[in-house]
Amino acid sequence: MTTTTSAHGSRRGSARWAAQRAPDPTSPTVDVLIPTAGRTAELATTLAGLAAQDDPPFRVIISDQSETLPATAAPAVSAMLRVLEAQGRDVVVHRHLPRRGMAEQRQFLFERASSPQVLYLDDDVWLEPGTLARMSAALIRQRCGFIGCAVQGLSYLDDHRPSERAPFAAWGDEGVQPERVRPDTPEFERWTLHNAANLLHHAAELGLTDDEQLTYRVAWVGGCVLFDRATLDEAGAFTFWPSLPTTHAGEDVAAQWRVMELAGGAGLLPSGAVHLEAPTTIVDRHVEATDILFAPERRRPAPHQERNAS
């Protein structure tokens, strides 16, 4: 018999999947919060990305708002949930209906989280192995409110947009600092950074290696955002949901702006978050949460970002 050494961190390898799982006295570092509705292939792919993550220890919490069959009825989804559990991850799936909008869905998930860090991960995002560890380490090192990996559409690898990358600015030696972003501030112009595959092109242009971590200034980050849970709680999380109509978009932007004012937020380059480029499940986007929540200070309407996440 040949023996090799394999290091999986907190992830149990397949040699131990059938062994009795010993009680873990420690709590997970991260709660991964996944809102989903009507997606199965995409959700299974998202879970497969999580199954490739080693550290830090994490728990998966899913809020399923599928109108007909639950997502777990799909064999691919059930299979990946079983893989995560065999790896030693706690998995909790909630059937959460009726639908009251994305802000309420996110608040529902937040209220079920207890770990020091919470990752809001859209159900159509695949994570490169090691992404969660890089995000968690950056959040701890920067002591800020959130670290985001902007989702990248790989169908855009040949679509170079240097003008959209012009607002890119790395955080300096001072680290991530609190700042205010609104549609009438210069900081808002950073929204173009996250279109298409802009950050993949920027990482290549900078000559970054896979092991490097560069934090940069953002307007907001969609699809994959790791928060310091205490800071998000202090900012009110998504408790503003009753102020919004059921059909809305931009609730994640509103929450991030409030966190940024308290403790700052940053994007992480290179980004290991890949958008599956599936059609959005939020079709009606005529109501922007920020237009309502920040109405007293709004001077002009916010343009819609070309999003790579639902």
Side-chain angles (χ1 to χ4, degrees):
M1 179 177 66
T2 300
T3 302
T4 59
T5 301
S6 177
H8 299 296
S10 62
R11 174 167 60 93
R12 282 170 35 125
S14 56
R16 294 180 289 154
W17 285 358
Q20 183 176 1
R21 181 180 170 188
D24 188 350
T26 62
S27 299
T29 301
V30 181
D31 279 328
V32 181
L33 310 180
I34 305 177
T36 191
R39 283 175 167 164
T40 53
E42 294 88 350
L43 178 60
T45 304
T46 298
L47 296 173
L50 288 173
Q53 307 300 311
D54 292 329
D55 286 317
F58 64 88
R59 171 175 55 172
V60 179
I61 306 176
I62 299 172
S63 178
D64 182 8
Q65 294 191 320
S66 302
E67 297 286 356
T68 54
L69 291 176
T72 51
V77 173
S78 294
M80 293 315 307
L81 292 176
R82 287 193 290 268
V83 167
L84 285 162
E85 290 173 337
Q87 291 177 334
R89 313 302 188 189
D90 289 331
V91 177
V92 182
V93 180
H94 296 279
R95 193 89 163 101
H96 182 48
L97 291 169
R99 299 175 71 170
R100 299 183 180 91
M102 280 304 302
E104 190 275 342
Q105 169 83 311
R106 295 186 187 279
Q107 181 63 24
F108 175 84
L109 282 163
F110 182 75
E111 290 173 358
R112 279 140 191 86
S114 58
S115 298
Q117 300 175 356
V118 293
L119 173 66
Y120 276 99
L121 184 64
D122 280 3
D123 62 353
D124 59 350
V125 177
W126 176 85
L127 296 183
E128 176 189 31
T131 300
L132 185 59
R134 294 195 300 269
M135 296 180 75
S136 179
L139 185 65
I140 293 171
R141 184 176 64 255
Q142 294 292 339
R143 299 180 180 179
C144 60
F146 70 81
I147 294 289
C149 276
V151 296
Q152 301 293 280
L154 298 192
S155 70
Y156 295 91
L157 281 179
D158 294 327
D159 183 358
H160 292 262
R161 306 180 182 186
S163 64
E164 292 189 349
R165 294 191 281 116
F168 186 90
W171 284 102
D173 294 337
E174 77 281 5
V176 179
Q177 300 295 316
E179 59 180 343
R180 179 182 180 276
V181 178
R182 295 292 188 274
D184 61 345
T185 65
E187 291 80 6
F188 186 82
E189 301 309 315
R190 304 168 188 160
W191 69 269
T192 60
L193 293 172
H194 297 162
N195 285 344
N198 285 342
L199 291 185
L200 296 180
H201 297 140
H202 208 74
E205 184 176 288
L206 293 173
L208 296 180
T209 68
D210 291 337
D211 296 327
E212 290 184 271
Q213 293 184 12
L214 179 66
T215 52
Y216 64 95
R217 301 168 185 259
V218 299
W220 70 87
V221 185
C224 180
V225 184
L226 182 70
F227 289 93
D228 176 79
R229 186 177 64 85
T231 304
L232 181 56
D233 190 26
E234 183 181 354
F238 296 88
T239 54
F240 54 73
W241 72 264
S243 303
L244 303 176
T246 298
T247 303
H248 62 260
E251 76 293 330
D252 51 345
V253 180
Q256 288 177 43
W257 284 357
R258 289 178 171 177
V259 168
M260 290 170 78
E261 291 184 29
L262 283 175
L268 187 64
L269 202 66
S271 172
V274 176
H275 185 233
L276 302 183
E277 301 184 60
T280 181
T281 57
I282 310 297
V283 179
D284 188 346
R285 294 179 173 272
H286 76 279
V287 175
E288 285 283 344
T290 54
D291 288 347
I292 295 175
L293 298 172
F294 302 104
E297 54 187 273
R298 192 179 73 247
R299 297 179 185 176
R300 61 181 174 88
H304 289 281
Q305 178 183 0
E306 178 185 333
R307 299 186 183 218
N308 270 330
S310 61

